[in-house]
């Protein structure tokens, strides 16, 4: 009899509202199977100890676009590749051989061509995206721009090391999607016959095994499920290793520096000027910088930013990220629908939570409503996830995001969701669903008379001076509001700071003040009773709190004091949290995908445990 170390196995379900991580707790003495008896614990001297990496080919971060007019002939160049131009009624478009394309319009004074650069989907985590682009006149008949490209990186790290018990272990880390082959840590065992190795986690019915072989050239070959093929890992290069470690130089971290003043709309201040103890924030930075990726529950915070009183006072990046890195916002992007309603109201448009989008959707498609209850579904129902439709984050639901994206029959996702069966009357039950948030875009597009992503650019991105960003698209080309845009953390935090200032940004009212209050006020408790779930099932799916209009209302405890918060959250640790009483907005990006048990605690652990206590006088 021996004691076998049991690793934590991740629950494979991927709810955007985060299923809590289930830990396999079977520590104790058990018999060794015949398979285990045939395997030998290998000596560190013979094993491939060290850090190994594989990277997918990524796109360049920028690309030069040139459009020229010579007489009646138009032509374009993307980098060094020529592309034929289609020009009609002021619209200019061209397509690259890889499927990327540009569509824009020539201004009346011919000084610029404003439009969007579109990148096609990619097998690894990336979908069709639209990126704003403006080509300016270099001279008569020639327009040019260095446009931002979504780089689309994908890395797999394999770290093999000796544990304190002298046994060899391995962890797999993937910053972009946390596809770690189902276990937070593996044992490394050798096959004496073949000379190869096996990564083993768990035991019995929960055992996971991954074969690992070496090549003549000194590389390692690992079957990688996410790609459905083997990958070849090489000893890591210093430039790539930065994405594996939080910060390799964390022990030599210099004194905390205030955020840099950029021409991006932010006013910056030192922590002291905003009422913070800089030493306390520096201690927090040191702690995050020392995060160990070998940990069974690794804290993979990619960025942490803090604004108070409308000023950016703290900005730190980890795991190879920086202020220009456009990060996947995941379901934080859902809140943009609610935000745009407030921006339209400020502009005088007639739209509010009572608007009923489904009759318009069916009418535009020339279909009759198949259930009269659908005519009563309001934006308020959609934004509180109480539509009554068979639309649930659970993959068993026909309306789940995963099933919607996997099916090929309906490319119009508004119609896909509108056609779902009704399970309950509107307002009766809570069920978190990306399709509900996405349906808000149908009303936005109809009222704003443009696409969802063009509306966001006009109402939010330009007034707030966003840097480059990439908006996820549905297969029919319409902007997707279920989440997935790529944005700079500084820009994401602007939304929170604007709401903390009752809808103002740099003194200008962007969001109607009444909508800030209405959209962030609790509307329905998220509980076993409102979801119809058992307490155990509820605990595996939800964090509790209350639902506002996409924003989730909750509280943060700091010491003995409790403060009201409202937040937008996304899988992996994408968080935008506002503490209105303290005029405080905090933004996180992270890589703990499918690990809600980790990032779901950051509000209390980091904001309540470090940021608020660092205030000189939070009350």
């Amino acid at each position: 009899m021996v004691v076998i170390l049991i690793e934590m196995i991740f629950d494979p379900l991927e709810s955007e509202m985060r299923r809590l991580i289930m830990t396999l707790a079977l520590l104790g003495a058990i018999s060794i199977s015949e398979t285990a008896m045939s395997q030998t614990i290998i000596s560190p001297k013979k094993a491939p100890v060290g850090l190994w990496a594989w990277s997918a080919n990524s796109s360049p971060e920028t690309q030069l676009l040139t459009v020229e007019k010579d007489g009646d002939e138009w032509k374009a160049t993307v980098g060094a590749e020529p592309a034929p131009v289609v020009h009609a009624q002021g619209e200019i478009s061209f397509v690259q051989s890889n499927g990327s394309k540009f569509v824009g319009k020539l201004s009346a004074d011919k000084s610029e061509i404003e439009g969007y650069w579109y990148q096609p989907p990619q097998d690894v985590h990336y979908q069709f995206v639209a990126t704003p682009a403006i080509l300016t006149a270099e001279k008569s008949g020639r327009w040019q721009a260095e446009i931002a490209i979504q780089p689309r990186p994908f890395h797999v790290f394999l770290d093999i090391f000796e544990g304190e018990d002298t046994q060899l272990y391995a962890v797999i880390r993937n910053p972009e999607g946390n596809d770690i082959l189902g276990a937070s840590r593996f044992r490394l065992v050798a096959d004496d016959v073949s000379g190869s190795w096996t990564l083993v986690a768990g035991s019995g019915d929960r055992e996971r095994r991954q074969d690992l072989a070496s090549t003549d050239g000194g590389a390692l070959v690992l079957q990688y499920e996410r790609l459905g093929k083997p990958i070849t890992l090489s000893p890591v290069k210093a430039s790539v290793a930065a994405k594996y470690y939080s910060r390799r130089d964390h022990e030599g971290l210099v004194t905390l520096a205030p955020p840099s003043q950029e021409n991006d709309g932010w006013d910056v201040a030192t922590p002291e000027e905003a009422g913070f103890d800089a030493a306390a924030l520096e201690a927090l930075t040191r702690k995050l910088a020392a995060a160990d990726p070998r940990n069974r529950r690794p804290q993979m915070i990619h960025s942490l930013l803090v604004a108070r009183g409308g000023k950016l006072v703290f900005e730190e990046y980890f795991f190879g990220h920086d202020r220009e890195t456009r990060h996947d916002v995941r379901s934080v992007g859902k809140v943009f629908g609610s935000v745009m309603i407030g921006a339209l109201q400020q502009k005088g448009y007639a739209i509010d939570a009572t608007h009923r989008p489904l009759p318009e959707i069916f009418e535009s498609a020339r279909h009759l409503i198949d259930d009269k209850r659908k005519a009563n579904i309001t934006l308020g129902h959609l934004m509180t996830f109480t539509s009554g439709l068979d639309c649930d984050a659970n993959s068993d639901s026909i309306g789940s995001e995963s099933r919607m994206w996997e099916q090929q029959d309906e490319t119009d996702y508004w119609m896909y969701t509108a056609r779902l069966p009704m399970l309950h009357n509107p307002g009766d039950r809570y069920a978190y669903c990306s399709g509900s948030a996405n349906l808000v875009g149908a009303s936005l597009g109809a009222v704003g008379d443009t696409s969802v992503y063009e509306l966001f650019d006009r109402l939010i991105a330009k007034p707030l001076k966003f840097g480059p960003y990439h908006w996820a698209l549905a297969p029919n080309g319409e902007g997707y509001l279920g989440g997935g845009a790529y944005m700079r953390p500084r820009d994401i935090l602007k939304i929170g700071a604007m709401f903390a200032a009752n809808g103002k940004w740099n003194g200008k009212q962007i969001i109607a003040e009444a909508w800030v209050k209405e959209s962030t006020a609790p509307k329905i408790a998220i509980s076993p009773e409102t979801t119809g779930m058992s307490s155990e099932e509820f605990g595996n799916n939800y964090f509790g709190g209350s639902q506002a209009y996409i924003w989730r209302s909750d509280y943060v405890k700091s010491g003995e004091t409790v403060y009201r918060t409202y937040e937008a959250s996304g899988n992996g640790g994408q968080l935008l949290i506002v503490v209105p009483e303290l005029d405080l907005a905090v933004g996180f990006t992270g890589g703990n995908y499918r690990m809600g048990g980790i990032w779901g605690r950051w509000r209390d652990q980091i904001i309540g445990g470090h940021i608020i206590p660092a205030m000189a006088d939070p009350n």
Side-chain angles (χ1 to χ4, degrees), residues 524-581:
I524 181 173
I526 307 171
S527 67
E529 291 73 24
T530 59
T531 60
M533 294 178 171
S534 67
S535 295
E536 181 181 0
E537 187 181 8
F538 178 82
N540 290 335
N541 285 272
Y542 293 113
F543 290 137
S546 298
Q547 190 66 54
Y549 289 152
I550 303 294
W551 297 99
R552 193 174 72 89
S553 178
D554 213 317
Y555 296 90
V556 60
K557 184 176 181 181
S558 182
E560 297 302 316
T561 306
V562 175
Y563 301 92
R564 176 181 171 255
T565 66
Y566 54 88
E567 68 183 57
S569 61
N571 190 4
Q574 324 320 316
L575 296 167
L576 178 58
I577 301 174
V578 178
V579 189
E581 184 179 343

Side-chain angles (χ1 to χ4, degrees), residues 144-418:
Q144 199 169 66
E146 193 81 31
I147 64 164
I149 303 293
Q150 186 186 23
R152 306 189 168 197
F154 193 84
H155 301 83
V156 179
F157 293 99
L158 173 64
D159 190 358
I160 300 174
F161 57 94
E162 184 179 2
E164 293 181 359
D165 56 1
T166 72
Q167 183 168 340
L168 289 177
Y169 296 96
V171 298
I172 294 169
R173 298 290 179 251
N174 165 234
E176 293 82 17
N178 207 20
D179 289 313
I180 57 176
L181 301 187
S184 61
R185 182 178 287 190
F186 295 88
R187 301 184 302 278
L188 188 68
V189 296
D191 187 318
D192 290 337
V193 177
S194 67
S196 61
W197 303 277
T198 304
L199 306 180
V200 183
S203 63
D205 293 340
R206 299 297 298 271
E207 184 180 83
R208 298 187 68 93
R209 304 175 66 86
Q210 300 290 337
D211 293 333
L212 185 67
S214 61
T215 68
D216 292 339
L220 297 178
V221 178
L222 174 71
Q223 181 68 27
Y224 197 68
E225 293 173 3
R226 179 65 180 84
L227 303 176
K229 64 180 182 180
I231 58 174
T232 301
L233 301 108
S234 303
V236 74
K237 297 179 181 178
S239 59
V240 177
K243 291 186 174 294
Y244 178 72
Y245 300 101
S246 181
R247 285 188 188 167
R248 299 194 72 174
D249 62 343
H250 64 86
E251 293 182 356
L253 187 68
V254 297
T255 303
L256 186 73
S260 66
Q261 182 70 60
E262 306 286 332
N263 184 27
D264 65 351
W266 272 115
D267 283 334
V268 303
T270 65
E272 294 89 347
E273 290 170 339
F276 287 94
D277 177 359
L281 293 182
E282 182 177 312
L284 171 61
T285 305
R286 289 181 183 274
K287 179 178 180 179
L288 298 180
D292 186 356
R294 294 176 174 177
N295 194 305
R296 287 188 180 84
R297 294 175 62 80
Q299 297 272 359
M300 293 182 284
I301 294 176
H302 293 165
S303 71
L304 174 58
L305 289 79
V306 178
R308 192 180 189 197
K311 294 184 178 182
L312 185 62
V313 299
F314 180 86
E315 178 187 22
E316 294 293 333
Y317 299 91
F318 310 92
F319 292 99
H321 291 252
D322 59 37
R323 70 169 56 91
E324 296 304 322
T325 303
R326 281 90 74 187
H327 202 285
D328 187 353
V329 304
R330 294 291 176 113
S331 284
V332 166
K334 287 179 171 64
V335 84
F336 297 153
S338 179
V339 170
M340 283 190 276
I341 290 175
L344 284 170
Q345 288 183 358
Q346 181 62 25
K347 294 286 187 182
Y349 288 85
I351 183 172
D352 57 30
T354 65
H355 193 275
R356 302 181 182 191
L358 269 68
E360 296 175 358
I361 293 173
F362 280 100
E363 183 179 350
S364 64
R366 299 183 180 180
H367 289 295
L368 296 176
I369 292 182
D370 51 7
D371 188 318
K372 64 181 182 180
R373 291 176 293 178
K374 292 183 178 180
N376 295 322
I377 296 174
T378 66
L379 288 179
H381 291 130
L382 295 173
M383 291 188 292
T384 54
F385 304 109
T386 58
S387 70
L389 292 165
D390 185 3
C391 190
D392 192 305
N394 190 312
S395 58
D396 292 337
S397 167
I398 190 175
S400 69
E401 186 173 38
S402 59
R403 293 184 67 173
M404 179 169 66
W405 279 97
E406 288 167 2
Q407 61 85 34
Q408 304 292 321
D409 297 331
E410 179 60 78
T411 61
D412 183 342
Y413 284 179
W414 295 340
M415 179 54 69
Y416 180 87
T417 304

